[in-house]
């Protein structure tokens, strides 16, 4: 099984990366961009496996069978550094650590491969730290940066990277992937349609009934609001759900991470912590708080994307475009709602959702911005 089989609906990208992996010399820095769910990190990992593959025939690199391919895909290869952040931004200290690691010579393979997911989360100062390493890399180091769009990365960095553009996978490709993973055909089609080509969300909806039920509750909210109090309650419910999801993740991981750090520092349970070690514990706690904020923000953003699909369907019905609906299981409710309002009003509500997505990425109060949005959705019969 080839490593490229994991990359769904991207034949042009596969061909481009296969040719690069087969070459004796290749570009030292790559920027893989594409919409969420298109498989940026999957493409980067597959490319890294092909670059480090032990297959002697260059055209067959990325075999998926050799030890190097398997250790790359599992994240344990000695010559692979795979960095991803669970915080809202990549810290400058983390970028400096990556630059230092990039200087090491390969231990067992031809290349040292540096994968940086969410490169769009690098502030300018952090990007400048990485810039020097990308401008003048060691001869055996290859950087693979991932971002939603090239414009999300500092212009001086993207100008030094070879672009790879992924697209939203076709619905049929996502359906076939889910079916191959044991999902019934009807459920696979339904979840792939709701996910709009986002493989991760499609898989989540197909395998977690609670996720489908939560999405159902979210998409019904904006078309059922009939009063301001109900709008305020809906906003509060959505924010609370996001907070509960972040807290559930924290409960499952924070204590484990703290115990692992204390073990690494040689601190026994109940033992007094040396002042010189407290800073490391404080740093861990700060990282955990940032991670919780990101989980909450990402959850709220996912809710907003689901709400967007509702108004997109309503606008489709109002304009009579004939485009297929996303929320086909709500067709009667959507038709009724579309008949009671105008296309102009629907566009205003879509704009409100877009504005809310921008606002929650800042330090604005999530509850306040959701209340403002929901208040604009109130619709009297």
């Amino acid at each position: 099984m080839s490593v490229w089989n994991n990359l769904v609906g991207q034949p042009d990208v596969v061909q481009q990366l296969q040719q690069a992996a087969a070459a004796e010399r290749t570009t030292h820095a790559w920027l893989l961009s594409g919409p969420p769910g298109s498989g940026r990190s999957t493409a980067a990992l597959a490319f890294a496996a092909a670059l480090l593959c032990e297959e002697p025939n260059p055209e067959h690199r990325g075999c998926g069978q050799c030890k190097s391919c398997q250790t790359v895909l599992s994240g344990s290869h000695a010559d692979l550094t795979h960095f991803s952040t669970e915080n809202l931004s990549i810290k400058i200290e983390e970028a400096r650590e990556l630059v230092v690691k990039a200087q090491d010579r390969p231990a067992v393979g031809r290349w040292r491969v540096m994968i940086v997911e969410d490169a769009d989360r690098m502030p300018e100062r952090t990007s400048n730290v990485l810039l020097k390493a990308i401008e003048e890399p060691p001869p055996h180091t290859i950087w693979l940066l991932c971002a939603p769009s090239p414009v999300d990365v500092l212009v001086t960095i993207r100008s030094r990277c070879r672009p790879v553009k992924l697209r939203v996978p076709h619905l049929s490709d996502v359906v076939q992937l889910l079916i191959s993973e044991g999902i019934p055909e009807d459920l696979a089609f339904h979840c792939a349609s709701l996910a709009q080509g986002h493989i991760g969300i499609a898989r989540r909806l197909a395998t977690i009934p609670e996720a489908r039920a939560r999405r159902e509750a979210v998409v019904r909210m904006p078309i059922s609001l009939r009063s301001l109090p109900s709008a305020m309650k809906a906003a509060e419910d959505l924010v609370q759900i996001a907070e509960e999801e972040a807290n559930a993740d924290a409960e499952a991981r924070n204590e484990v991470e703290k115990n692992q750090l204390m073990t690494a520092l040689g601190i026994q349970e109940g033992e007094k912590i040396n002042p010189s070690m407290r800073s490391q514990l404080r740093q861990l706690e700060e990282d955990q708080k940032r991670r919780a904020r990101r989980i909450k923000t990402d959850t709220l953003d996912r809710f907003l994307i689901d709400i967007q699909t509702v108004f997109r369907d309503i606008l489709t019905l109002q304009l009579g475009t004939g485009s297929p609906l996303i929320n086909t299981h709500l067709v009667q409710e959507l038709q009724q709602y579309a008949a009671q309002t105008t296309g102009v009003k629907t566009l205003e509500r879509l704009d409100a959702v877009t504005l809310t997505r921008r606002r929650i990425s800042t330090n604005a109060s999530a509850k306040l911005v959701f209340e403002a949005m929901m208040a604009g959705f109130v619709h009297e019969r």
Side-chain angles (χ1 to χ4, degrees):
M1 178 179 176
S2 168
V3 296
W4 306 109
N5 292 348
N6 297 326
L7 198 54
V8 178
Q10 309 289 346
D12 295 338
V13 170
V14 170
Q15 183 180 12
Q16 180 184 4
L17 297 182
Q18 275 182 323
Q19 291 175 349
E24 187 63 27
R25 297 291 303 173
T26 189
T27 307
H28 71 279
W30 298 72
L31 177 57
L32 290 82
S33 61
S38 58
R40 298 187 301 264
S41 58
T42 301
L45 204 59
F47 188 26
L51 288 169
L52 297 170
C53 182
E54 299 169 6
E55 170 61 48
N57 186 341
E59 295 182 359
H60 296 159
R61 285 175 184 160
C63 65
Q65 305 298 322
C66 68
K67 182 179 179 180
S68 286
C69 281
Q70 292 176 3
T71 52
V72 168
L73 296 179
S74 67
S76 59
H77 196 286
D79 295 328
L80 172 69
T81 298
H82 189 172
F83 175 82
S84 61
T85 183
E86 292 179 317
N87 298 321
L88 293 173
S89 62
I90 298 174
K91 295 182 289 186
I92 195 168
E93 294 82 6
E94 294 170 325
R96 286 173 178 152
E97 289 179 10
L98 291 173
V99 170
V100 172
K101 288 180 181 178
Q103 303 304 311
D104 295 340
R105 291 185 60 83
V108 295
R110 297 186 304 148
W111 309 102
R112 174 160 295 280
V113 182
M114 310 291 295
I115 298 178
V116 181
E117 293 189 35
D118 298 320
D120 55 304
R121 293 182 181 267
M122 288 192 295
E124 186 172 349
R125 287 182 64 235
T126 305
S127 298
N128 287 330
V129 169
L130 211 61
L131 175 61
K132 188 66 175 177
I134 292 177
E135 279 182 326
E136 301 175 4
H140 298 288
T141 296
I142 296 178
W143 289 89
L144 307 179
L145 309 183
C146 304
S149 169
V151 298
D152 294 325
V153 178
L154 196 68
V155 62
T156 47
I157 286 184
R158 70 171 181 263
S159 65
R160 289 161 175 79
C161 296
R162 183 172 173 180
V164 178
K165 296 183 179 180
L166 289 84
R167 62 190 181 190
V168 177
H170 193 273
L171 176 64
S172 60
D173 293 325
V174 181
V175 171
Q176 288 305 313
L177 173 66
L178 295 179
I179 292 174
S180 70
E181 296 176 352
I183 305 300
E185 184 175 355
D186 290 346
L187 180 59
F189 183 84
H190 177 63
C191 294
S193 300
L194 296 181
Q196 302 175 78
H198 193 303
I199 297 171
I201 292 179
R203 185 181 284 120
R204 176 182 172 84
L205 292 173
T207 56
I208 305 177
E210 294 82 2
R212 294 199 299 275
R214 182 174 294 176
R215 185 192 185 280
E216 180 74 7
V218 170
V219 296
R220 286 183 179 276
M221 276 186 184
I223 57 176
S224 61
L225 300 178
R226 296 291 180 266
S227 66
L228 194 57
S230 67
M232 299 300 101
K233 180 66 166 58
E236 183 179 358
D237 289 346
L238 289 180
V239 174
Q240 184 176 351
I241 290 171
E243 289 175 346
E244 288 174 353
E245 189 161 316
N247 291 337
D249 180 87
E251 290 176 4
R253 300 170 62 178
N254 289 3
E255 194 63 29
V256 173
E257 291 174 344
K258 182 178 179 180
N259 291 337
Q260 289 175 341
L261 177 59
M262 292 184 71
T263 300
L265 295 174
I267 303 172
Q268 301 296 327
E269 187 175 354
E271 182 181 344
K272 186 176 181 180
I273 301 174
N274 190 302
S276 63
M277 298 179 178
R278 285 181 188 150
S279 62
Q280 297 184 54
L281 287 171
R282 281 197 299 270
Q283 183 63 53
L284 174 63
E285 291 170 356
E286 290 173 3
D287 288 343
Q288 290 172 339
K289 289 178 182 177
R290 280 192 288 266
R291 181 176 64 201
R293 283 199 299 271
R294 175 171 175 180
I295 292 171
K296 177 181 174 181
T297 300
D298 289 349
T299 303
L300 290 173
D301 190 61
R302 188 164 66 244
F303 292 162
L304 291 170
I305 292 172
D306 291 337
I307 291 172
Q308 275 183 325
T309 67
V310 173
F311 289 115
R312 178 264 187 199
D313 285 346
I314 291 170
L315 189 63
T316 297
L317 293 171
Q318 290 171 330
L319 299 180
T321 63
S323 299
L325 301 182
I326 297 170
N327 301 283
T328 53
H329 61 297
L330 298 178
V331 62
Q332 291 185 346
E333 293 96 322
L334 296 174
Q335 287 175 338
Q336 184 178 16
Y337 190 97
Q340 295 173 350
T341 185
T342 65
V344 172
K345 196 67 177 178
T346 303
L347 282 171
E348 290 176 357
R349 288 166 177 166
L350 279 169
D351 289 341
V353 177
T354 302
L355 177 61
T356 303
R357 291 188 67 188
R358 287 202 302 268
R359 284 175 170 171
I360 64 168
S361 65
T362 67
N363 290 325
S365 166
K367 185 177 179 181
L368 290 178
V369 297
F370 264 73
E371 285 178 347
M373 179 188 71
M374 288 294 188
F377 294 166
V378 174
H379 174 70
E380 297 181 0
R381 294 183 183 276

